[in-house]
Amino acid sequence: MRILIANDDGIYSPGIATLARVANRFGDVRVVAPDVEQSSAGHAITSSKPLTYRRTRVIDGVESYRVNGTPADCVALGAYNWEKVDVVLSGINLGPNLGNAIWHSGTLAAAKQAALLGLRGVAMSAPVVGEDPDLSHLEPHVERVLELLLPDDSLQLVNVNFPTRPAGIRWTRQAVEQYDGKVVPATDPMGRRHFWFTVFPLEEHAEGTDLWAIQHGFVSITPLELDLTDREALALAVARVPDPTGEKVGSETR
């Protein structure tokens, strides 16, 4: 099995080293990651400049390359330069990617890029403490997750989050909660005005969601899909206006 590993924290992140060590037990591993941190880059791709693909000695026993681009760029280049990749693993991100954070996560974007290329993608994230986090205690739990997911070809896109001390594993759905935003003005040392933007959930975490699982100490495994179509809304719209081309604004459907 060929396992391509990317992330959004950069090639020197301890999270990607932990994931590579565990994944090495399951097949041939190659790391292709950004040369600098790309957190919250979302699914951006680089189209305005050329990209470099440079071999880097950073993880013992693992062939590694750094790219001056985004997480999605890394997966695209990694798959191009290494034929017949079976699965793309992204992470382990230094910080959770739960609920609405999935929308802007660079970690998820790498896994989504894999799915767009017809490959399987698995994103992994975990909370961290301190400036020099050690994720080695999660290795047995990462191994168990890979034992579950790697043999299952039906799971094309999956989001995995680890709590600090896992007490078990749960299959979950994405929490789609309402958030309230708060803008906090401040000034920098030069007296120039800037702003911090913070959000917090307005609802309790519903049982069975990824946020609920982490709150209760479980590893959260959430199968995802690329299709964002609201099928119920689409069906209702078709029922109301079967032929939008012939419908005039303000007229009734006949």
Side-chain angles (χ1 to χ4, degrees), residues 173-223:
R173 66 183 186 277
Q174 179 191 1
V176 183
E177 300 180 346
Q178 297 297 312
Y179 282 76
D180 188 20
K182 183 179 181 181
V183 176
V184 181
T187 55
D188 67 13
M190 300 297 294
R192 295 169 297 199
R193 200 177 188 200
H194 61 233
F195 303 89
W196 290 95
F197 183 63
T198 61
V199 295
F200 56 91
L202 297 176
E203 307 167 11
E204 293 293 329
H205 304 323
E207 184 172 350
T209 64
D210 49 7
L211 285 165
W212 176 89
I214 294 300
Q215 185 180 46
H216 289 80
F218 296 112
V219 177
S220 167
I221 303 181
T222 308

Side-chain angles (χ1 to χ4, degrees), residues 48-244:
S48 59
K49 65 178 182 180
L51 296 172
T52 58
Y53 185 81
R54 295 174 178 168
R55 190 162 184 170
T56 304
R57 295 179 181 271
V58 64
I59 303 171
D60 290 340
V62 176
E63 191 172 343
S64 303
Y65 297 83
R66 54 191 172 94
V67 174
N68 61 330
T70 67
D73 292 335
C74 292
V75 173
L77 283 180
Y80 175 82
N81 285 290
W82 199 31
E83 295 182 354
K84 299 180 180 179
V85 171
D86 293 292
V87 63
V88 174
L89 306 180
S90 179
I92 301 171
N93 189 65
L94 303 182
N97 279 302
L98 299 159
N100 289 325
I102 289 176
W103 289 97
H104 59 75
S105 167
T107 305
L108 261 296
K112 288 188 293 178
Q113 182 65 29
L116 287 170
L117 295 174
L119 306 171
R120 287 189 288 155
V122 179
M124 296 188 179
S125 306
V128 295
V129 178
E131 296 183 358
D132 188 20
D134 180 5
L135 300 180
S136 60
H137 68 284
L138 289 178
E139 289 191 16
H141 306 285
V142 175
E143 184 173 17
R144 176 56 182 150
V145 167
L146 293 181
E147 288 173 347
L148 285 171
L149 298 182
L150 291 184
D152 193 344
D153 292 338
S154 68
L155 296 173
Q156 187 180 28
L157 180 59
V158 183
N159 185 35
V160 180
N161 279 268
F162 298 91
T164 304
R165 299 292 174 185
I169 300 175
R170 292 290 186 272
W171 296 102
T172 60
R173 66 183 186 277
Q174 179 191 1
V176 183
E177 300 180 346
Q178 297 297 312
Y179 282 76
D180 188 20
K182 183 179 181 181
V183 176
V184 181
T187 55
D188 67 13
M190 300 297 294
R192 295 169 297 199
R193 200 177 188 200
H194 61 233
F195 303 89
W196 290 95
F197 183 63
T198 61
V199 295
F200 56 91
L202 297 176
E203 307 167 11
E204 293 293 329
H205 304 323
E207 184 172 350
T209 64
D210 49 7
L211 285 165
W212 176 89
I214 294 300
Q215 185 180 46
H216 289 80
F218 296 112
V219 177
S220 167
I221 303 181
T222 308
L224 302 173
E225 61 181 357
L226 294 174
D227 187 354
L228 299 178
T229 306
D230 186 333
R231 299 187 184 280
E232 183 177 347
L234 175 61
L236 290 172
V238 171
R240 287 195 303 268
V241 187
D243 183 11

